[in-house]
Amino acid sequence: MSNCIMCTSYQKFYSALKNLSDFIKAEEFCDVVSSIDSFFLNLEI
Amino acid sequence: MQKSLDSSKNKKIYKQLRDQYLISDELKWLNDKRVEVIHQNPFKLNKQIMVNVYFYGNSNEIIKHNYTYENWENAKQLETEIKEKLKTFKAPEIYLSIIIRFTENGKEINIIDLIKHGVADMNSFLTQFKLSTNTNCLKCENMELKISEKIKEICIYELCLERDYKYIPSTNLLEPKSRAKMLGFNDNNINKKEEKVPINNNFFQSNNLKDMFKDFISCHILIYKLQKQHIMPTMFIFYKDKTFKINPFLAESKATFYRKINTISTQIEREHIIGIFVVWESYVLPTNINFNERYEERVKHSEKTILCFYYIDKNLEEIFTFVNSETIENDIYKSIKESDFNSTINPHYQLFYSIRYNFAKTYHKYLNLKNFK
């Protein structure tokens, strides 16, 4: 299957989104909240 | 793409759509970040972690820390700090939220909104270009599906930035509350424009905020009657540019309600908000209620539930309207003024302190806010 004029653009956009998603994960957006969640579930005050 | 275009017609379409979709502030921000990262500049995006504890009539930020990429590991010590702070509160239950915000050069930025809007612009550009040039390609269609999935995945991360909890000291129990988010998807695209709607539409009979509030009440009473009971707490937020946004939310915990009110209050100045309507359902408790009892115990003494409507505008005019859910057929538009304040209104009046304060701070700079109530 040959490439159309948009194939490269779609591929690049997908790669950018994948990088963005990986970046968000790597930046530990959620890590603190999820670790606090687990901390609270085992809370002993 | 520009380099691969072979016809002048396609080049013209490209330029038109580029000017329509690709010159937004959000895309510029995303592109700037990309350039910074590629050139390995120091990362200037800072994280701020806040722990807010809510009490009757106010909310206290008990912890606020700034983290950069370099000292992020220190955030792990936050658990111990929260534990120590919670020990100091004496209350039958404690509602709290943990919130992550981002700042850049000392200024708060809504990173998820920037990403969401930038991605939506780029996605719209590609979709419109494909339609305008009649491009029909199976490979692109497959890629569109993968893109759609990835966009949803990215938008879901927003839920990780805020979490509400209820802590019961007597049982040593802390419940993380469930999270929900309305996502504005339209087929495979994020429909970001759906979020803000012009006020000139069939929903409102007039452009006057107070008249619109009556439409807001009528509409929700109708929904409430049709559903027989239970209504999702919802905010209508009005902007200076004659648009409004509908913000319904799942309030499984009081903390979620308080957090939503606090969040919207911080947007008043930045986003040029001129008015806010809120609807929610509430228990009516006897005046002699014992506030040392837990919430679950207190509501057992409830005599009835009411549908509550709140109005505030930039002139600091406020209206509370309460509709008895048992006599909803007859009890409509009963506005209560400040002079009528009683035990029913007072808790609700306190609830909106942060909104009232931020409207005053934004539009009434001459006011002395030191003793503002």
Side-chain angles (χ1 to χ4, degrees), chain A residues 3 11 25 27-28 37, chain B residues 72 139 143 157 163 165:
Chain A
N3 281 350
Q11 183 60 52
K25 283 180 198 165
E27 273 297 295
E28 299 175 279
D37 265 1
Chain B
W72 181 239
K139 276 168 91 172
M143 201 48 83
Y157 286 125
R163 192 78 201 255
Y165 301 87

Side-chain angles (χ1 to χ4, degrees), chain A residues 1-41 43-45, chain B residues 1 4 43 47 49 69 72 75-76 78-79 82-83 87 98 100 102 115 119 122-123 126 129-130 135 137 139-140 143-144 146-147 150 153-154 157 160-161 163 165 167 172 174 176:
Chain A
M1 206 185 305
S2 59
N3 281 350
C4 75
I5 53 169
M6 296 195 69
C7 277
T8 312
S9 300
Y10 269 114
Q11 183 60 52
K12 280 190 175 174
F13 184 42
Y14 177 72
S15 301
L17 287 175
K18 196 173 172 304
N19 286 340
L20 193 57
S21 173
D22 292 345
F23 164 78
I24 290 169
K25 283 180 198 165
E27 273 297 295
E28 299 175 279
F29 267 47
C30 358
D31 250 28
V32 165
V33 172
S34 60
S35 72
I36 287 169
D37 265 1
S38 59
F39 148 74
F40 277 142
L41 290 172
L43 191 66
E44 284 176 28
I45 291 182
Chain B
M1 179 194 281
S4 62
F43 203 80
K47 295 183 197 78
I49 295 186
Y69 192 72
W72 181 239
K76 305 280 158 61
L78 200 63
E79 293 178 5
I82 293 171
K83 189 175 170 179
K87 272 184 190 175
I98 297 172
I100 301 176
F102 293 86
I115 289 172
V119 165
M122 182 57 85
N123 205 32
L126 288 173
F129 189 84
K130 188 180 153 207
T135 303
C137 167
K139 276 168 91 172
C140 289
M143 201 48 83
E144 273 181 310
K146 287 174 78 173
I147 286 168
K150 203 45 96 178
E153 193 184 306
I154 289 169
Y157 286 125
C160 304
L161 303 183
R163 192 78 201 255
Y165 301 87
Y167 174 62
N172 206 15
L174 199 135

Side-chain angles (χ1 to χ4, degrees), chain B residues 10 21 40 55 84 132 134 153 220 222 227 252 254 265 289 293 318 325 343 346 354 357:
Chain B
N10 284 350
Y21 292 109
Q40 297 183 329
F55 289 105
E84 291 301 313
S132 304
N134 294 321
E153 193 184 306
H220 284 93
L222 185 64
Q227 292 179 168
E252 200 198 5
K254 280 187 173 193
S265 69
I289 197 75
E293 279 187 326
E318 290 178 276
S325 59
S343 58
N346 258 329
S354 59
Y357 179 88

Side-chain angles (χ1 to χ4, degrees), chain B residues 37-49:
Chain B
V37 173
I38 285 173
H39 295 289
Q40 297 183 329
N41 280 346
F43 203 80
K44 288 175 191 160
L45 200 63
N46 293 342
K47 295 183 197 78
Q48 214 168 51
I49 295 186

